């Protein structure tokens, strides 16, 4: 497990945005970077810096995906027909942990990764414990019977902090969710602006 999970809000402050839109984010109180030099005045960001920031935001949002894995997502998005940026968003939103998070079975993307890792969910009736597993349109994701009373799950289901997007059909009584369609960038409820076009520029240098 990444060491950054323990200090995930440092990602917020380093990037200067409330990445997940959570009320508990320290960025709501301290809108400067972490560490003793966090309050230094920032200079003008270069084109490279802007592109890098766009990449770090998207990587961080999905639980701080490693660079090698993220680069593979980009390569696959670039290989597919259509808009590379839209393809990248579609691949990331099709991750099993992302679908679990969008369905509001768990409160955070970090919790979603751990929830899947610990074998609490099934896809089409079969246990899947790989967070990066690519969910296909029409797949049914279900929380196992014995896991439905986990306090974290109960709290997430009751929370009004997030809405479930239209491309996920979630039934909280049955604790099931169907992946209705692969979303486009405009469909995804990111709390901050994501700029996949800048990520394309970054990897095209």
């Amino acid at each position: 497990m990444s060491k950054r999970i323990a200090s995930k809000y440092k990602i917020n402050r380093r990037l200067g945005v409330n990445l997940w839109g959570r009320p508990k984010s320290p960025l709501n109180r301290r809108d400067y970077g972490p560490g003793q030099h966090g309050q230094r005045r920032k200079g003008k960001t270069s084109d490279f810096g802007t592109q890098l920031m766009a990449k770090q935001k998207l990587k961080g949002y999905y639980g701080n995906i490693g660079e090698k894995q993220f680069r593979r997502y980009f390569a696959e998005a670039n290989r597919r027909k259509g808009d590379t940026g839209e393809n990248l968003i579609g691949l990331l939103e099709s991750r099993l942990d992302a679908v679990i998070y969008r369905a509001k079975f768990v409160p955070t993307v970090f919790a979603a990764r751990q929830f899947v890792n610990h074998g609490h969910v099934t896809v089409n009736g079969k246990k899947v414990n790989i967070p990066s597993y690519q969910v296909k349109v029409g797949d049914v994701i279900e929380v196992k019977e014995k896991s439905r009373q986990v306090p974290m799950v109960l709290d997430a289901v009751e929370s009004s902090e997030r809405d479930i997007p239209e491309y996920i059909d979630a039934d909280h009584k049955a604790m099931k969710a169907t992946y209705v369609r692969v979303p486009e960038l405009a469909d995804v409820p990111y709390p901050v602006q994501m700029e996949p076009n800048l990520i394309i520029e970054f990897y095209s240098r």
Side-chain angles (χ1 to χ4, degrees), residues 6-173:
S7 55
K8 59 193 174 190
Y9 289 127
K10 281 188 177 180
I11 301 172
N12 271 356
R13 290 173 58 201
R14 186 174 294 113
L15 297 175
V17 293
N18 186 350
L19 202 52
W20 300 280
R22 303 210 74 198
K24 292 181 180 179
S25 173
L27 195 73
N28 296 333
R29 301 186 302 274
R30 295 173 292 183
D31 59 348
Y32 50 84
Q36 62 180 355
H37 303 301
Q39 296 187 61
R40 285 183 175 176
R41 179 176 290 184
K42 296 178 182 178
K44 184 180 178 182
T45 307
S46 64
D47 287 346
F48 172 80
T50 303
Q51 294 161 4
L52 178 63
M53 185 70 71
K55 178 172 73 77
Q56 297 301 84
K57 276 197 301 183
L58 199 60
K59 278 177 58 180
Y61 182 86
Y62 290 96
N64 213 26
I65 295 172
E67 177 60 29
K68 283 186 178 179
Q69 186 177 22
F70 194 78
R71 188 180 283 273
R72 284 198 297 269
Y73 280 126
F74 176 80
E76 176 60 20
N78 194 41
R79 185 189 68 79
R80 294 186 177 189
K81 292 181 179 180
D83 184 276
T84 299
E86 294 287 0
N87 290 343
L88 179 60
I89 297 300
L91 286 166
L92 293 169
E93 280 294 300
S94 297
R95 286 174 56 100
L96 179 56
D97 56 359
V99 175
I100 290 290
Y101 174 64
R102 293 287 179 224
K104 283 182 62 177
F105 291 148
V106 292
T108 69
V109 291
F110 294 94
R113 181 178 296 179
Q114 189 175 46
F115 198 65
V116 175
N117 268 330
H118 290 179
H120 293 296
V121 300
T122 63
V123 179
N124 301 328
K126 296 181 180 180
K127 186 177 88 169
V128 179
N129 60 2
I130 303 170
S132 62
Y133 175 87
Q134 283 286 299
V135 178
K136 298 178 180 63
V137 172
D139 281 355
V140 177
I141 297 88
E142 184 174 2
V143 176
K144 287 185 174 180
E145 188 83 37
K146 65 179 182 180
S147 307
R148 296 177 185 181
Q149 298 304 312
V150 173
M152 174 183 69
V153 174
L154 296 173
D155 289 345
V157 168
E158 294 296 324
S159 173
S160 59
E161 194 174 299
R162 293 182 289 118
D163 293 325
I164 300 171
E166 292 182 358
Y167 51 91
I168 305 284
D169 183 11
D171 181 346
H172 283 162
K173 286 186 178 180

